[in-house]
Amino acid sequence: MIPERSNKLIKKLFAPYLAYRLRKTFKLLKHNEVETMQGHSILLLCNHFSWWDGFFAGHLTQTYLYRDFHIMMQEDHLQKRMFFNRVGGFSINRKSKEVVTSLQYAAQLLDDPDNLVAVFPQGALESNHIEEINIERGIDYIVKKVKGNCQIIYYSAFVEYFESLKPSVYFHFLDCGTNHDFDYEKVKALINAHHKKALKEQVNAEH
């Protein structure tokens, strides 16, 4: 397991560069409103469909959710891009005995109310048009190990082009409650109902 080695200066310098890259690549990044809770860390669950997903989560954290960004990455992916270790990336290897260490590490980060930890609960890249979001059991483990106050937020992201050469990304946020009232099966059902509803609403997305 590779722990993060965040550097505040590198994070500060990387944020405007990331915003610039997103502006150059995408026409629009749009999201609905979600109320964040004061005194709570945030476990951010995101559907995983593209190479950009970690950048989306980081940008939304900087510009909207206002927490210190951390992200769980596949260990082989992080090893190839160790720069991300300096801006919040830590590893998980689902085939290793250290998988529990990574989950515990995520929970420890979430004990701090200033932190946000982004996790892709599907555990693999899948089309953003699938109707069923798999929520791996590791999420249940993380939430139950958090000792402080933690809010769980999910979003489904969808890409559209419409009349533009550049794609637009639409984020559909969902407040899933806190670690104190967390129920794995209920949250899994809530996320999937939300995702299916968002898929239908996406048909009428403004552009």
Side-chain angles (χ1 to χ4, degrees), residues 38 51 54-55 95 101 112-113 116 132 137 142 144 205:
Q38 290 187 353
W51 181 85
F55 296 109
K95 298 179 181 179
T101 304
D112 185 340
L116 176 149
E132 191 76 18
R137 274 284 179 182
I142 292 172
K144 289 181 177 178

Side-chain angles (χ1 to χ4, degrees), residues 135 137 140 144 182-192:
I135 309 296
R137 274 284 179 182
D140 185 50
K144 289 181 177 178
F182 181 82
D183 181 284
Y184 170 77
E185 293 297 339
K186 288 182 179 178
V187 168
K188 184 178 178 180
L190 185 67
I191 286 174
N192 274 284

Side-chain angles (χ1 to χ4, degrees), residues 36-53:
T36 57
M37 300 179 181
Q38 290 187 353
H40 288 65
S41 61
I42 296 176
L43 174 59
L44 181 63
L45 307 178
C46 327
N47 66 321
H48 194 20
F49 67 94
S50 79
W51 181 85
W52 286 99
D53 295 338

Side-chain angles (χ1 to χ4, degrees), residues 37-83:
M37 300 179 181
Q38 290 187 353
H40 288 65
S41 61
I42 296 176
L43 174 59
L44 181 63
L45 307 178
C46 327
N47 66 321
H48 194 20
F49 67 94
S50 79
W51 181 85
W52 286 99
D53 295 338
F55 296 109
F56 293 148
H59 183 67
L60 289 168
T61 299
Q62 291 287 334
T63 62
Y64 181 61
L65 298 172
Y66 305 118
R67 298 291 193 280
D68 189 17
F69 180 70
H70 310 269
I71 185 167
M72 180 184 285
M73 299 177 61
Q74 282 283 86
E75 190 162 289
D76 57 334
H77 294 176
L78 182 57
Q79 287 172 336
K80 294 175 183 177
R81 306 172 182 87
M82 283 301 291
F83 169 77

Side-chain angles (χ1 to χ4, degrees), residues 83-123:
F83 169 77
F84 296 127
N85 185 236
R86 306 295 283 172
V87 291
F90 64 95
S91 76
I92 185 169
N93 183 347
R94 290 172 174 81
K95 298 179 181 179
S96 167
K97 293 180 181 179
E98 289 190 335
V99 64
V100 173
T101 304
S102 296
L103 299 176
Q104 291 173 337
Y105 185 80
Q108 289 169 4
L109 288 171
L110 291 167
D111 286 338
D112 185 340
D114 291 331
N115 286 342
L116 176 149
V117 176
V119 177
F120 304 114
Q122 295 156 278

